Amino acid sequence: MKIEVLLFAQLRETYGRDRLLVDLPTGSKVVDALDIVFKEPALMPFRALPLRYAINEEFGAAQNVLTDNDQLAILTPMAGG
Amino acid sequence: MLITDRPIDLNEFTGVRPPENCGGSAYFIGRVRNHHDGKKVKSLFYECYKPMAEKEIKKILETVISETKVKEIHVIHRIGWLEVGDIAIAIAANGAHRAEAFDACRKVIDRIKESVPIWKKEVYEDATHDWVVCQHNNQRSHSHANHTESSHSVL
């Protein structure tokens, strides 16, 4: 299944793109997508940050199961206001 | 409108007349400060995950209205490049009495900082920059502190 991963802030800036597509077996979880994303050398250091995740614009967890065409956003620590 | 890339007009924002059952209106205005952690701030860049940010702000407003019993809350958050002194966020809470209006304003700004997908990059006068992490995270993302402004990609 195809998962679109959205990148923001320092992830987007470092990677040079605001999204990437990952291909995963059916039944895969957020953490499986993260394992692929953070193999990218430029992104690897960011895994140590206290990240949060959103699936289709709702907060989710690393153990949530993904479905085909889900949009997964990796959220670095937020700083609005 | 909850998020805008245009300057926030305070006269327009505060000029909206509250409902007649509201005797207390509290406002919070957040501006770009010229310093942070001993560094001189030149400008800020706010980035957001807009569809989710708007959903989360709406959820916060609903929750805070329910908790504080204010009658209404208005919020507008600016994104994009801002200069020192520019308004980044404006919040208005209208309630029957001042106590709930003050309480609502504080709760809204605290929760926006904590759980709305908006990020802030500070650019310093020495041309370095840093993505800011709010105090509730008790740390700063420092991976790119030595990059210069000219190396940034902008949405």
Side-chain angles (χ1 to χ4, degrees), chain B residues 140-154:
Chain B
R140 289 175 66 83
S141 167
H142 49 76
S143 310
H144 296 83
N146 295 323
H147 286 192
T148 62
E149 186 178 354
S150 59
S151 70
H152 301 164
S153 57
V154 176

Side-chain angles (χ1 to χ4, degrees), chain B residues 70-82:
Chain B
V70 290
K71 305 301 179 194
E72 60 177 22
I73 308 173
H74 302 286
V75 173
I76 188 158
H77 197 304
R78 189 171 165 196
I79 56 170
W81 284 105
L82 281 72

Side-chain angles (χ1 to χ4, degrees), chain A residues 9 12-14 46 58 79 81, chain B residues 46-47 59 77 118 121 144:
Chain A
R12 171 192 57 73
E13 191 173 72
T14 302
F46 294 104
E58 298 286 343
Chain B
Y46 280 97
E47 176 174 337
K59 285 182 197 170
H77 197 304
I118 297 175
K121 180 169 70 176
H144 296 83

Side-chain angles (χ1 to χ4, degrees), chain B residues 107-124:
Chain B
K107 282 181 168 161
V108 169
I109 185 63
D110 287 350
R111 292 176 192 183
I112 284 176
K113 285 178 175 291
E114 195 175 306
S115 65
V116 174
I118 297 175
W119 298 270
K120 174 165 63 180
K121 180 169 70 176
E122 288 179 339
V123 178
Y124 306 107

Side-chain angles (χ1 to χ4, degrees), chain A residues 11-80:
Chain A
L11 296 185
R12 171 192 57 73
E13 191 173 72
T14 302
Y15 191 57
R17 291 165 57 192
D18 64 4
R19 66 197 63 211
L20 65 159
L21 275 177
V22 298
D23 207 349
L24 290 165
T26 302
S28 294
K29 297 177 178 179
V30 168
V31 69
D32 300 314
L34 300 178
D35 286 342
I36 293 175
V37 170
F38 287 111
K39 274 184 186 157
E40 294 284 342
L43 298 177
M44 222 177 269
F46 294 104
R47 193 152 198 183
L49 289 176
L51 301 172
R52 296 177 74 180
Y53 314 105
I55 304 158
N56 303 325
E57 301 171 5
E58 298 286 343
F59 283 111
Q63 293 304 317
N64 283 158
V65 174
L66 297 165
T67 56
D68 194 27
N69 294 318
D70 272 351
Q71 200 174 52
L72 170 66
I74 303 177
L75 311 173
T76 53
M78 294 165 255

